[in-house]
Amino acid sequence: MRIHRSILTALLAAVAALPLAASAHTGVDGGMHHGFTTGFLHPLTGADHLAAMVAVGFWSALAARRAWPDLLWAPLAFAGMLLVGALMGLAGVQLPAVEPMIAASLLVLGLLVAARVRLPAVVAMGVVGVFAVFHGVAHGYELASEEGAALTLAGMVSATVLLHVAGIAAGWALRHANAWLPRVAGAAVLGLGAALLAQAI
Protein backbone atom coordinates (compact mmCIF):
# COMPACT_ATOMS: atom_id res chain seq x y z
CA MET A 1 0.00 0.00 0.00
CA ARG A 2 2.87 2.35 0.83
CA ILE A 3 4.46 1.60 -2.54
CA HIS A 4 1.22 2.47 -4.34
CA ARG A 5 0.97 5.72 -2.39
CA SER A 6 4.57 6.61 -3.25
CA ILE A 7 3.96 5.95 -6.93
CA LEU A 8 0.77 8.01 -6.93
CA THR A 9 2.46 10.85 -5.05
CA ALA A 10 5.31 10.94 -7.57
CA LEU A 11 2.86 10.83 -10.47
CA LEU A 12 0.75 13.65 -9.11
CA ALA A 13 3.84 15.74 -8.42
CA ALA A 14 4.97 15.27 -12.01
CA VAL A 15 1.55 16.16 -13.39
CA ALA A 16 1.29 19.19 -11.13
CA ALA A 17 4.66 20.39 -12.44
CA LEU A 18 3.57 20.25 -16.07
CA PRO A 19 2.46 23.91 -16.23
CA LEU A 20 6.02 24.88 -15.30
CA ALA A 21 7.58 22.88 -18.11
CA ALA A 22 8.46 24.48 -21.41
CA SER A 23 6.67 23.48 -24.59
CA ALA A 24 9.08 21.87 -27.05
CA HIS A 25 8.68 20.67 -30.62
CA THR A 26 10.81 18.63 -32.99
CA GLY A 27 13.16 20.98 -34.77
CA VAL A 28 14.35 22.86 -31.71
CA ASP A 29 16.32 20.05 -30.13
CA GLY A 30 19.86 21.13 -30.86
CA GLY A 31 19.99 19.95 -34.46
CA MET A 32 18.63 16.41 -34.09
CA HIS A 33 15.77 16.81 -36.53
CA HIS A 34 15.00 13.25 -37.52
CA GLY A 35 15.34 9.60 -36.63
CA PHE A 36 13.42 7.14 -34.49
CA THR A 37 15.14 8.15 -31.24
CA THR A 38 14.45 11.85 -31.77
CA GLY A 39 10.81 11.11 -32.55
CA PHE A 40 10.49 8.83 -29.56
CA LEU A 41 12.01 11.35 -27.16
CA HIS A 42 10.03 14.32 -28.43
CA PRO A 43 6.70 13.63 -26.66
CA LEU A 44 8.66 13.06 -23.46
CA THR A 45 10.27 16.51 -23.58
CA GLY A 46 7.34 18.58 -24.85
CA ALA A 47 5.00 19.36 -21.95
CA ASP A 48 2.02 20.02 -24.21
CA HIS A 49 2.21 16.70 -26.05
CA LEU A 50 3.18 14.69 -22.98
CA ALA A 51 0.27 16.10 -20.98
CA ALA A 52 -2.24 15.46 -23.76
CA MET A 53 -1.13 11.87 -24.34
CA VAL A 54 -1.07 10.93 -20.67
CA ALA A 55 -4.38 12.70 -20.09
CA VAL A 56 -6.09 10.73 -22.85
CA GLY A 57 -5.11 7.44 -21.23
CA PHE A 58 -5.84 8.76 -17.75
CA TRP A 59 -9.34 9.91 -18.72
CA SER A 60 -10.06 6.66 -20.57
CA ALA A 61 -9.30 4.65 -17.43
CA LEU A 62 -11.30 6.93 -15.14
CA ALA A 63 -14.34 7.01 -17.39
CA ALA A 64 -14.32 3.38 -18.58
CA ARG A 65 -17.28 1.30 -17.50
CA ARG A 66 -15.25 -1.87 -18.09
CA ALA A 67 -11.60 -2.61 -18.72
CA TRP A 68 -12.04 -4.07 -22.20
CA PRO A 69 -12.42 -2.56 -24.71
CA ASP A 70 -13.50 0.78 -23.21
CA LEU A 71 -9.95 1.66 -22.15
CA LEU A 72 -8.67 1.57 -25.70
CA TRP A 73 -11.05 3.57 -27.88
CA ALA A 74 -9.83 7.09 -27.13
CA PRO A 75 -6.09 6.24 -27.00
CA LEU A 76 -6.28 4.37 -30.30
CA ALA A 77 -8.15 7.26 -31.90
CA PHE A 78 -5.57 9.75 -30.66
CA ALA A 79 -2.56 7.73 -31.85
CA GLY A 80 -4.16 7.02 -35.23
CA MET A 81 -5.24 10.60 -35.90
CA LEU A 82 -1.89 11.93 -34.66
CA LEU A 83 -0.29 9.96 -37.48
CA VAL A 84 -2.89 11.22 -39.97
CA GLY A 85 -2.23 14.81 -38.90
CA ALA A 86 1.52 14.36 -39.18
CA LEU A 87 1.14 13.02 -42.72
CA MET A 88 -1.07 16.00 -43.56
CA GLY A 89 1.61 18.35 -42.28
CA LEU A 90 4.26 16.57 -44.30
CA ALA A 91 2.07 16.95 -47.39
CA GLY A 92 1.81 20.71 -46.78
CA VAL A 93 -1.86 20.76 -45.81
CA GLN A 94 -2.46 24.03 -43.97
CA LEU A 95 -4.75 24.12 -40.94
CA PRO A 96 -5.59 27.31 -39.04
CA ALA A 97 -4.92 27.90 -35.35
CA VAL A 98 -2.73 24.84 -34.79
CA GLU A 99 -1.10 26.04 -31.57
CA PRO A 100 -4.35 27.40 -30.07
CA MET A 101 -6.03 24.07 -30.83
CA ILE A 102 -3.22 22.17 -29.09
CA ALA A 103 -3.72 24.40 -26.06
CA ALA A 104 -7.50 23.92 -26.29
CA SER A 105 -6.98 20.15 -26.30
CA LEU A 106 -5.36 20.41 -22.88
CA LEU A 107 -8.20 22.57 -21.58
CA VAL A 108 -10.79 20.04 -22.72
CA LEU A 109 -8.84 16.98 -21.59
CA GLY A 110 -8.17 18.59 -18.22
CA LEU A 111 -11.88 19.22 -17.74
CA LEU A 112 -12.75 15.67 -18.82
CA VAL A 113 -10.28 14.23 -16.32
CA ALA A 114 -11.26 16.51 -13.44
CA ALA A 115 -14.98 15.88 -13.94
CA ARG A 116 -14.58 12.21 -14.91
CA VAL A 117 -16.94 12.78 -17.82
CA ARG A 118 -18.20 9.64 -19.53
CA LEU A 119 -18.87 9.88 -23.24
CA PRO A 120 -20.05 7.30 -25.76
CA ALA A 121 -17.08 5.61 -27.43
CA VAL A 122 -17.73 7.24 -30.81
CA VAL A 123 -17.96 10.71 -29.27
CA ALA A 124 -14.82 10.17 -27.17
CA MET A 125 -12.91 9.01 -30.23
CA GLY A 126 -14.14 12.00 -32.21
CA VAL A 127 -13.14 14.52 -29.54
CA VAL A 128 -9.61 13.23 -29.01
CA GLY A 129 -9.20 12.45 -32.71
CA VAL A 130 -9.85 16.04 -33.77
CA PHE A 131 -7.32 17.37 -31.29
CA ALA A 132 -4.80 14.69 -32.24
CA VAL A 133 -4.86 15.91 -35.84
CA PHE A 134 -3.59 19.31 -34.72
CA HIS A 135 -0.88 17.75 -32.56
CA GLY A 136 0.17 15.66 -35.57
CA VAL A 137 0.06 18.55 -38.04
CA ALA A 138 2.41 20.54 -35.83
CA HIS A 139 4.94 17.71 -36.09
CA GLY A 140 4.40 17.30 -39.80
CA TYR A 141 5.12 20.95 -40.55
CA GLU A 142 8.42 20.74 -38.72
CA LEU A 143 9.46 17.55 -40.50
CA ALA A 144 8.41 18.57 -44.02
CA SER A 145 11.91 19.54 -45.14
CA GLU A 146 13.79 16.87 -43.22
CA GLU A 147 15.08 13.43 -44.10
CA GLY A 148 14.13 10.41 -42.03
CA ALA A 149 10.60 11.66 -41.37
CA ALA A 150 9.14 8.15 -41.47
CA LEU A 151 11.42 6.93 -38.68
CA THR A 152 10.74 10.06 -36.65
CA LEU A 153 7.00 9.56 -36.99
CA ALA A 154 7.36 5.91 -36.01
CA GLY A 155 9.23 7.01 -32.89
CA MET A 156 6.60 9.59 -31.99
CA VAL A 157 3.72 7.15 -32.43
CA SER A 158 5.55 4.55 -30.33
CA ALA A 159 6.13 7.05 -27.52
CA THR A 160 2.52 8.19 -27.81
CA VAL A 161 1.25 4.66 -27.28
CA LEU A 162 3.52 4.20 -24.25
CA LEU A 163 2.33 7.50 -22.75
CA HIS A 164 -1.26 6.40 -23.25
CA VAL A 165 -0.46 3.16 -21.44
CA ALA A 166 1.14 5.10 -18.57
CA GLY A 167 -1.96 7.29 -18.35
CA ILE A 168 -4.25 4.27 -18.38
CA ALA A 169 -2.25 2.60 -15.59
CA ALA A 170 -2.36 5.74 -13.45
CA GLY A 171 -6.05 6.33 -14.11
CA TRP A 172 -6.95 2.74 -13.35
CA ALA A 173 -5.04 2.91 -10.06
CA LEU A 174 -6.95 6.06 -9.10
CA ARG A 175 -10.41 4.92 -10.16
CA HIS A 176 -11.42 4.18 -6.59
CA ALA A 177 -9.15 6.67 -4.84
CA ASN A 178 -10.28 9.92 -3.28
CA ALA A 179 -12.08 12.07 -5.83
CA TRP A 180 -9.68 14.99 -5.36
CA LEU A 181 -6.70 13.08 -6.78
CA PRO A 182 -8.04 12.97 -10.37
CA ARG A 183 -9.27 16.53 -9.93
CA VAL A 184 -5.77 17.72 -9.08
CA ALA A 185 -4.37 15.94 -12.14
CA GLY A 186 -7.10 17.36 -14.36
CA ALA A 187 -6.59 20.85 -12.96
CA ALA A 188 -2.85 20.64 -13.70
CA VAL A 189 -3.49 19.72 -17.34
CA LEU A 190 -6.13 22.44 -17.59
CA GLY A 191 -3.70 24.98 -16.12
CA LEU A 192 -1.05 24.06 -18.67
CA GLY A 193 -3.59 24.44 -21.46
CA ALA A 194 -4.64 27.87 -20.20
CA ALA A 195 -1.02 29.03 -20.02
CA LEU A 196 -0.28 27.81 -23.55
CA LEU A 197 -3.48 29.33 -24.92
CA ALA A 198 -2.55 32.68 -23.42
CA GLN A 199 0.79 32.48 -25.22
CA ALA A 200 -0.78 31.39 -28.52
CA ILE A 201 -3.37 34.16 -28.84
Side-chain angles (χ1 to χ4, degrees):
M1 187 65 177
R2 290 181 180 177
I3 295 176
H4 289 300
R5 287 181 180 176
S6 298
I7 293 172
L8 293 179
T9 299
L11 174 67
L12 290 173
V15 172
L18 285 175
L20 303 177
S23 173
H25 290 117
T26 304
V28 292
D29 54 0
M32 294 178 61
H33 297 286
H34 53 80
F36 184 90
T37 301
T38 299
F40 186 87
L41 291 176
H42 170 67
L44 307 178
T45 58
D48 48 358
H49 301 300
L50 187 152
M53 294 165 189
V54 173
V56 167
F58 196 85
W59 170 54
S60 295
L62 289 176
R65 296 183 184 277
R66 53 188 177 178
W68 183 267
D70 294 358
L71 288 174
L72 300 180
W73 296 126
L76 287 175
F78 191 99
M81 295 310 291
L82 176 82
L83 178 58
V84 170
L87 292 173
M88 289 170 60
L90 284 172
V93 176
Q94 297 295 314
L95 292 182
V98 172
E99 293 300 330
M101 284 297 290
I102 290 173
S105 73
L106 298 179
L107 289 173
V108 172
L109 288 168
L111 287 171
L112 292 173
V113 169
R116 299 182 73 157
V117 176
R118 283 181 174 163
L119 297 175
V122 173
V123 177
M125 293 173 71
V127 170
V128 301
V130 168
F131 287 131
V133 168
F134 286 89
H135 281 266
V137 164
H139 296 306
Y141 289 161
E142 294 153 359
L143 296 171
S145 62
E146 302 292 342
E147 297 179 0
L151 282 176
T152 305
L153 290 177
M156 283 193 293
V157 172
S158 298
T160 297
V161 171
L162 289 179
L163 288 170
H164 286 331
V165 170
I168 288 171
W172 196 257
L174 292 175
R175 276 172 64 88
H176 303 297
N178 291 334
W180 67 268
L181 290 172
R183 288 173 185 166
V184 169
V189 175
L190 193 155
L192 175 60
L196 293 178
L197 187 60
Q199 294 175 8
I201 59 175

